[in-house]
Amino acid sequence: MARSQLTEEERQKIRDSLKATRERRQNQSIKVIELKVNCHHTSKETFAKMNNCFRQAKWIENDMLAWSEKCDGNNIFKYEYLDHKKITRKTFEGNFVEESISLPVYFHRALVKQVKQDIMNLHKAKMKGNKTGRLQFKSEVNCIPVITGGIRIIDNSHVTIPGFSRLKVYGLDQLSEFKEYEIADGRFVKKADGYYIKVSVCIKKESNSRKKNYKEIGLDFGIKDNIITSDGEKFNCNVQESEQLKFLQKQLHRKQKGSKHYYKLLKQIRCEYEHLSNKKTDETNKLIHHLTKNYDIIYFQDESISEWKKKKHSRKTGKKLNCFSFGRQIQSSYLGRVKAKLVSLENDKSFKISKWSPTTKFCPQCGCLNKIGLNERTYHCDCGYSYDRDIHAARNVKLFGSTKRAECLEQTSVDSYASAALKA
Ligand SMILES: [Zn+2]
């Protein structure tokens, strides 16, 4: 139904419910759980239908771009899904064919909304000064948004999504750890090894009562040992790619591009990568769990791990690489994931300090800044202080972090006091 057809009363109702949801979400935190469609209990017809969904999703997204390009006057924001039940698509040979969309309306509407949102996000990024391109035509679409209310859970192994009633899935046991939860929106995802449903679950926020003497820890991200804590614990954050993957990649080079065997191998390689990525996520979760279980607050430095990866490319320019030539080593590490996870825990269990803090140079005993070469493994200061290089850095991260955090806490308490005084 178009918005103009709603009466004033109905609009008010929508506004009220949106407001109520927004208020409820403030006391909730969101977790995403991943469900995998059980391939042994799903018929061939259902799989064909799912595949068709993703094919049509691609048609719709490309049609939207083509529609706005065809006539310059066409504003993509005026594209309504109801007017485009039939779309034209370009075939492999370059002909244009008209196709009617049989995709569930829920998906169709959400896809159109998603593309509009993508354009708005690009615009926002451009306004911020980032370098942006424009939306490109896609060769495949692997993710369809599902709006709130689209996913229903029937029992402990079945869910319903638009167009598919009663899908048997793996992974619903993840819900059992929450006492109270609310299902929000989600995503229907196609991966190399099957179909997945990602569900956002809203759970009640835990009240973080502040303990008197809580345990603190500082982390230093290094190349050799990857993560060193201020207590001297070392974690190796590497997942090696399997022999099978190397073998498959060699095979792929021998096959003719575009042949049947080529695509078969490509699919196998994607599955292997999927497996590798899952392994990394698993290790990350274990590491973070270990830290959050034993410590109340984790300090870490905002180091740009993606920059480390980039250094590899200077090989092209022929410039002599500096000491940070560890491209390959970083590729197999899950350091970036650990950092991302720590960032998501900020304000609660972790605290970030600036990447410009002189954690390696600073001497905690006298406050001097001493230069230390990359090959030196121990830190020496003229005042007599010396320590293992990495642990020294981690201890400084902890020191800087706790000072900075104390300042921040003080500031917020002053602010809240001031605002309370203003109100009174
Ligand atoms: Zn010193």
Side-chain angles (χ1 to χ4, degrees), residues 362-370 379-385:
F362 185 76
C363 168
Q365 215 167 58
C366 64
C368 283
L369 293 181
N370 299 311
Y379 176 87
H380 290 288
C381 179
D382 292 336
C383 70
Y385 172 89

Side-chain angles (χ1 to χ4, degrees), residues 119-133:
I119 291 171
M120 271 176 346
N121 290 345
L122 273 182
H123 177 72
K124 270 183 207 161
K126 200 175 179 180
M127 283 291 142
K128 267 189 194 170
N130 295 352
K131 236 185 188 176
T132 55

